[in-house]
Amino acid sequence: NPTKPGRPASNVPMTKLKPGEKPPQFVIFSFDGAGSHTRWQEFRAAAKPTDSRFVGFLSGIYLLTNQTRTKYVGPGHAPGKASIGFGGSKADVITLIKDLNHAVAAGDEIGTHYNGHFCSGSGHAGNSWSTADWNSELGQFMKFLTDYKKLNGWGDEVPDLKVTPKDIKGGRTPCLEGKLAAMAPAWKKYGMTYDSSLSLSGGISWPVKVRGIWEFQMPYVYSPGFKRSVMAMDYNMWVTFNGGKNQPGRAPELRQKVRKTYDYMYQQAYRGNRAPVLIANHFNSWNGNAFNPAAMDFMKATCGKPDTYCTTYQDVIAWMRLQDPAVLKALQAKKPVATGGS
């Protein structure tokens, strides 16, 4: 809820558009996993001067220490098995809790990146999960938010997490996998209102409701840096660049291509349909930390530009709900942008 007590007021002007009036340009930065203390500090510092907000899609098992990993049982997997690491030591998990609490206090949003990160090739994975599997995964994610002290065997010496299940209104699935028909009932069961995992069409367009859930689709965009269309996500750009090989010496080259892509996405949306621009990243230091500096430089250069608001999914949804249905429908009908050309 954008107006949750203790959360700053939205940084988005909550005003109704007149028919034909240009909407604000929203930019939504989101980070899958959201477990790095260094990155939380860096991006919060980059966002603060313009009162910008961003989104951390938390991997729930980061709230379990390595010692308590068997408290997680991924659908179709043995207890304690996951395709990513767990939370580390008690001190590491406490640091994460403090980072999440600072994020909420600054107006950032926490969503879900689910738990075990089981993608194709890692046994029973997202694309083959049933609704029961997604219910299990989401149920465990919510339990980690509320019961992390008990699950880890801790007492009140550990801070309370200010993120509750009621705050989790959406997320992104690991590797963008999962079948909509299986996922949508689980989203509704857990009170989620949006998703940002599917690719419905090319280009950047206004979110639409799919099975009653706002879908902020992951767009394929033309990239002047790569000189071809790419999925607008850091990992996918890395694969496009060199097949996902670790070549840190080429980090400056990759950074430049990524930044060019972000600038193009923003310019096309700002001058065109004004649909929200999604900068979908991880906190990972892939390929010599090729991606975080590009996202951070873009954040500093773009957030605070005229009519531009770097904000959260929930605040964009609150703005869309405020609009006259006919006005919103006209925006949704606009042609996607960033598909190539000027």
Side-chain angles (χ1 to χ4, degrees):
N1 182 344
T3 56
K4 182 185 176 184
R7 183 185 191 272
S10 172
N11 64 340
V12 170
M14 291 293 171
T15 51
K16 283 180 84 158
L17 294 182
K18 298 179 184 77
E21 189 181 359
K22 267 192 183 288
Q25 179 61 59
F26 300 121
V27 183
I28 305 177
F29 290 83
S30 59
F31 299 94
D32 292 2
S36 163
H37 175 62
T38 304
R39 301 286 173 250
W40 270 117
Q41 301 301 304
E42 288 174 350
F43 278 99
R44 272 262 38 91
K48 192 174 179 181
T50 50
D51 186 26
S52 293
R53 318 285 173 81
F54 57 92
V55 181
F57 286 137
L58 177 67
S59 295
I61 59 173
Y62 290 168
L63 291 168
L64 296 178
T65 66
N66 293 350
Q67 284 70 38
T68 58
R69 60 188 297 151
T70 55
K71 302 287 185 184
Y72 168 62
V73 185
H77 293 271
K81 185 171 186 292
S83 294
I84 55 171
F86 284 72
S89 67
K90 180 177 182 178
D92 292 331
V93 177
I94 289 172
T95 297
L96 173 61
I97 290 164
K98 288 178 178 174
D99 285 334
L100 296 171
N101 288 348
H102 286 148
V104 170
D108 297 332
E109 178 183 348
I110 306 302
T112 182
H113 195 45
Y114 303 84
N115 299 307
H117 215 282
F118 297 112
C119 302
S120 295
S122 58
H124 188 48
N127 270 342
S128 56
W129 281 6
S130 64
T131 298
D133 292 334
W134 287 106
N135 280 338
S136 168
E137 186 78 346
L138 272 173
Q140 289 187 80
F141 178 89
M142 301 303 182
K143 191 177 180 187
F144 299 149
L145 294 182
T146 56
D147 293 3
Y148 64 93
K149 288 187 187 180
K150 185 178 165 190
L151 292 168
N152 286 307
W154 298 336
D156 287 339
E157 79 281 3
V158 173
D160 291 340
L161 178 61
K162 307 288 189 202
V163 183
T164 72
K166 282 186 178 171
D167 300 320
I168 308 298
K169 293 298 178 190
R172 182 170 296 128
T173 62
C175 301
L176 310 178
E177 290 187 10
K179 299 286 192 288
L180 178 63
M183 295 189 292
W187 294 336
K188 288 173 185 169
K189 176 177 177 173
Y190 286 97
M192 287 159 65
T193 57
Y194 76 87
D195 169 67
S196 188
S197 310
L198 307 183
S199 291
L200 305 174
S201 62
I204 297 169
S205 53
W206 279 89
V208 294
K209 277 194 171 179
V210 181
R211 298 191 182 221
I213 300 287
W214 288 104
E215 186 57 52
F216 287 77
Q217 68 160 335
M218 290 295 301
Y220 278 96
V221 298
Y222 176 76
S223 163
F226 295 103
K227 296 188 167 50
R228 54 164 289 185
S229 289
V230 295
M231 165 71 80
M233 180 169 239
D234 52 3
Y235 181 79
N236 302 71
M237 291 193 224
W238 185 22
V239 171
T240 300
F241 178 65
N242 68 358
K245 290 192 285 288
N246 189 36
Q247 297 178 323
R250 296 183 71 191
E253 184 191 348
L254 179 52
R255 255 177 229 146
Q256 189 181 27
K257 291 177 186 295
V258 171
R259 177 63 194 277
K260 264 189 179 176
T261 307
Y262 294 158
D263 286 339
Y264 173 76
M265 288 165 66
Y266 172 78
Q267 288 156 7
Q268 289 282 296
Y270 186 81
R271 295 172 190 160
N273 63 6
R274 290 278 176 104
V277 171
L278 306 188
I279 304 298
N281 270 32
H282 297 72
F283 280 158
N284 300 53
S285 299
W286 287 322
N287 206 64
N289 197 25
F291 297 99
N292 292 300
M296 211 173 306
D297 290 348
F298 175 74
M299 182 184 273
K300 289 174 182 172
T302 307
C303 300
K305 279 188 172 180
D307 299 329
T308 301
Y309 300 90
C310 297
T311 190
T312 65
Y313 291 95
Q314 288 191 54
D315 281 353
V316 173
I317 289 169
W319 182 90
M320 290 192 297
R321 282 177 174 152
L322 184 65
Q323 304 310 311
D324 183 280
V327 169
L328 184 60
K329 202 170 177 183
L331 293 176
Q332 291 167 327
K334 286 182 180 285
K335 201 175 153 190
V337 298
T339 53
S342 60

